[in-house]
Amino acid sequence: MEITYRTQGVCARSIKFTKNDDGTITNIRFDGGCNGNLKAISKLCDGMTPAQISEKLKGNTCGAKSTSCADQLAKAVEQA
C-alpha cells in the first residue's frame, strides 16, 4: 500500500513509502529536504518494520527544531 505523509516543521514537504503485506516499509521517498541525507536514511531503513524505524529515528532533532525529517519518518510509519 502506497502511503503519503504530510510532514510538519521540517524542510521536506512530504514522505511517500510503501507498506508491504509483511509489514515492512520500502520505497521511501522525501519531497524536499536535504537530498543526500534523506536518500541515505531511505536506503538504511528500506525493508525495516515500523517499530525498527521508530526505534532508530524517533526523537531526532534538526538544529533548534523539535523534530527532523528522520523523526517525521518515524511518526509516518507509526501512523501507517
Side-chain angles (χ1 to χ4, degrees):
M1 169 182 7
E2 180 76 17
I3 297 171
T4 299
Y5 177 83
R6 301 282 176 214
T7 60
Q8 297 178 3
V10 297
C11 298
R13 294 175 292 281
S14 65
I15 306 169
K16 295 180 181 180
F17 57 91
T18 303
K19 184 171 183 183
N20 301 301
D21 291 339
D22 64 359
T24 59
I25 304 296
T26 56
N27 201 25
I28 303 165
R29 298 160 332 274
F30 288 81
D31 180 24
C34 302
N35 188 39
N37 289 334
L38 296 177
K39 283 181 183 176
I41 288 170
S42 298
K43 286 181 180 183
L44 291 170
C45 292
D46 191 66
M48 289 183 166
T49 65
Q52 291 170 321
I53 293 171
S54 181
E55 179 184 331
K56 297 284 184 191
L57 302 179
K58 192 170 185 178
N60 283 293
T61 59
C62 182
K65 297 176 184 177
S66 63
T67 189
S68 68
C69 292
D71 182 56
Q72 290 290 297
L73 175 58
K75 291 176 181 181
V77 299
E78 285 176 346
Q79 287 184 11

